[in-house]
Amino acid sequence: MAKTSLGTFLVDGQGRTLYLFEKDTGPNSACTGACASVWPPDTTTGTPHAGAGVNPALLGTAMRADHTMVVTYNGHPLYTYAADHKPGDTNGEGSKAFGAGWYVVAPNGNKIDND
């Protein structure tokens, strides 16, 4: 977890902010190709582990079309953002890139909408 003026939100093991994409339907990722180069999916080859403040019951995985396994939280595939350069950056918050909104994820699994 990280905390900024947006509130408390999920980060990966390196402290990078994790986002959800409103165009995704359930655990199915709609971000592929050019989208995935700007918004890299948070992939894993094993079982993701919940850090402090993360509800392990909401943590899971889903298979992407490219056969990689993406980490999910509350059923949402998770992504990082290429323009976030240091831990805790939230430069992608509220972006409407690739046809829908991108938002940081609260501990309850919902988006934090700072629009």
Side-chain angles (χ1 to χ4, degrees):
M1 293 293 187
K3 187 171 184 163
T4 69
S5 61
L6 291 174
T8 302
F9 53 87
L10 272 64
V11 297
D12 69 6
Q14 288 74 47
R16 294 176 297 198
T17 301
L18 293 169
Y19 298 86
L20 64 79
F21 184 36
E22 290 188 311
K23 194 172 184 180
D24 290 341
T25 54
N28 300 312
S29 176
C31 182
T32 61
C35 177
S37 67
V38 177
W39 295 92
D42 185 31
T43 59
T44 186
T45 56
T47 302
H49 299 283
V54 174
N55 182 343
L58 298 179
L59 194 60
T61 59
M63 185 68 68
R64 290 175 44 84
D66 64 3
H67 303 289
T68 59
M69 193 70 67
V70 65
V71 177
T72 62
Y73 196 73
N74 196 29
H76 303 286
L78 299 175
Y79 306 86
T80 58
Y81 182 47
D84 285 347
H85 299 292
K86 63 184 187 305
D89 278 356
T90 57
N91 296 312
E93 171 67 15
S95 171
K96 302 296 188 223
F98 299 97
W102 295 89
Y103 298 95
V104 298
V105 183
N108 66 5
N110 295 325
K111 70 180 182 179
I112 296 176
D113 188 348
N114 200 31
D115 289 345

